[in-house]
Amino acid sequence: MSDFNAIAQSRPDRNAEQFTEFYYKTFDSDRTGLMALYKDQSMLTFEAQPIQGATAIIEKLTSLPFSKIQHEVASLDAQPSNTEGGILVLVSGRLLVDEEQRPMSYTQAFQLLPDGQGSYFVFNDVFRLVYGAS
Amino acid sequence: MSDFNAIAQSRPDRNAEQFTEFYYKTFDSDRTGLMALYKDQSMLTFEAQPIQGATAIIEKLTSLPFSKIQHEVASLDAQPSNTEGGILVLVSGRLLVDEEQRPMSYTQAFQLLPDGQGSYFVFNDVFRLVYGAS
């Protein structure tokens, strides 16, 4: 409970915020750099397609059919996901691809787990475009 | 890995699907019935407001300022969240409140944990309205 209160008081939790900032900055500049955030046991469900393992995940992310992308985070929430330092992160935001002028909305949930070296890796990653929001 | 593959193959995972169907059906008919799905350690972050514990969570949900609500799930994804049977669920959808005709989009992430009696309880729950989707 104290973990949640601590996170709640610094909402959005600083670790989740730092991770998210790094994640999208890297995604938008050089997707191959995301490799360091995933491990063999990491899972990505990208628009309903399940992918497992850092290598396969980066293959998927780097093969997405756009050359430019820009994420803009609209909301970021974090909760402790277990008693071992895991963090559940829910992001909603907008993204622009290539020369498209109209942003698309998306939602993305992560579970971050401590990597044993003072940082985190992505254990769960679920991405969805959100259609038809008002 | 086999867990993820098993879940992926039956996507959306049946447990996540059954939970989600029950959750929104109960939410839309009698919010007090959600009490059974939360425990003292459960966390809800509702539009950035953190709440902990089944009683406080149900107080929040039942005090929301509308008398009728209808959720419509647009997407549902599930991944195992740990090796003890936990499930991460990401939902996106639309909701209508009272006599409003224009749906609002929302996203909601859950972590479900086994309750030791063959069912699940909600450990993490994060809810956000999504604005400005195309």
Side-chain angles (χ1 to χ4, degrees):
Chain A
M1 290 199 185
S2 57
D3 282 349
F4 181 52
N5 289 334
I7 283 185
Q9 281 161 19
S10 62
R11 190 182 68 249
D13 168 69
R14 191 176 299 177
N15 290 326
E17 199 175 41
Q18 285 178 344
F19 162 80
T20 303
E21 188 180 335
F22 179 78
Y23 181 89
Y24 292 120
K25 191 176 166 184
T26 306
F27 199 117
D28 295 355
S29 59
D30 177 11
R31 278 169 263 169
T32 60
L34 297 171
M35 187 74 150
L37 299 178
Y38 295 93
K39 291 184 182 282
D40 286 350
Q41 65 268 43
S42 300
M43 293 166 262
L44 167 65
T45 305
F46 186 89
E47 288 284 280
Q49 184 190 350
I51 300 149
Q52 187 152 22
T55 304
I57 288 170
I58 299 308
E59 277 175 14
K60 173 65 185 180
L61 295 180
T62 54
S63 70
L64 292 172
F66 46 79
S67 56
K68 281 201 311 188
I69 183 162
Q70 193 182 337
H71 291 80
E72 181 192 309
V73 172
S75 73
L76 190 169
D77 298 294
Q79 293 179 353
S81 61
N82 56 38
T83 55
E84 289 84 48
I87 304 176
L88 176 72
V89 185
L90 179 63
V91 175
S92 76
R94 289 173 285 275
L95 57 85
L96 274 174
V97 295
D98 292 332
E99 306 308 321
E100 178 65 44
Q101 298 297 310
R102 203 177 59 168
M104 291 182 284
S105 288
Y106 73 93
T107 181
Q108 192 159 13
F110 298 98
Q111 186 185 196
L112 310 179
L113 295 182
D115 67 358
Q117 296 167 24
S119 193
Y120 295 90
F121 74 97
V122 178
F123 185 69
N124 299 105
D125 181 352
V126 183
F127 174 92
R128 278 282 187 174
L129 293 172
V130 179
Y131 297 100
S134 56
Chain B
M1 291 202 183
S2 57
D3 283 347
F4 182 51
N5 289 334
I7 283 184
Q9 282 163 18
S10 63
R11 189 183 65 248
D13 168 68
R14 191 176 300 180
N15 289 325
E17 198 175 43
Q18 285 179 344
F19 162 80
T20 304
E21 187 179 335
F22 179 77
Y23 181 88
Y24 291 119
K25 190 176 165 183
T26 306
F27 200 117
D28 295 355
S29 59
D30 176 11
R31 281 170 260 169
T32 61
L34 296 172
M35 187 74 148
L37 299 179
Y38 295 93
K39 290 185 184 281
D40 286 350
Q41 66 267 45
S42 301
M43 292 165 261
L44 167 65
T45 304
F46 187 89
E47 288 286 280
Q49 183 189 351
I51 301 148
Q52 186 152 23
T55 304
I57 288 170
I58 299 307
E59 275 174 16
K60 173 65 185 179
L61 295 180
T62 54
S63 69
L64 292 172
F66 45 78
S67 56
K68 279 201 315 188
I69 184 164
Q70 193 182 337
H71 290 81
E72 182 192 310
V73 172
S75 73
L76 190 168
D77 297 295
Q79 292 179 355
S81 62
N82 56 37
T83 54
E84 288 83 48
I87 305 176
L88 176 71
V89 184
L90 179 63
V91 175
S92 76
R94 290 173 284 274
L95 56 84
L96 275 174
V97 294
D98 292 333
E99 306 308 321
E100 178 64 43
Q101 297 297 308
R102 204 177 57 167
M104 291 181 285
S105 288
Y106 74 93
T107 182
Q108 192 160 13
F110 299 97
Q111 186 186 194
L112 311 179
L113 296 181
D115 66 358
Q117 296 169 22
S119 192
Y120 295 90
F121 73 97
V122 178
F123 184 69
N124 299 104
D125 181 351
V126 183
F127 174 91
R128 279 281 187 173
L129 292 172
V130 179
Y131 298 99
S134 56

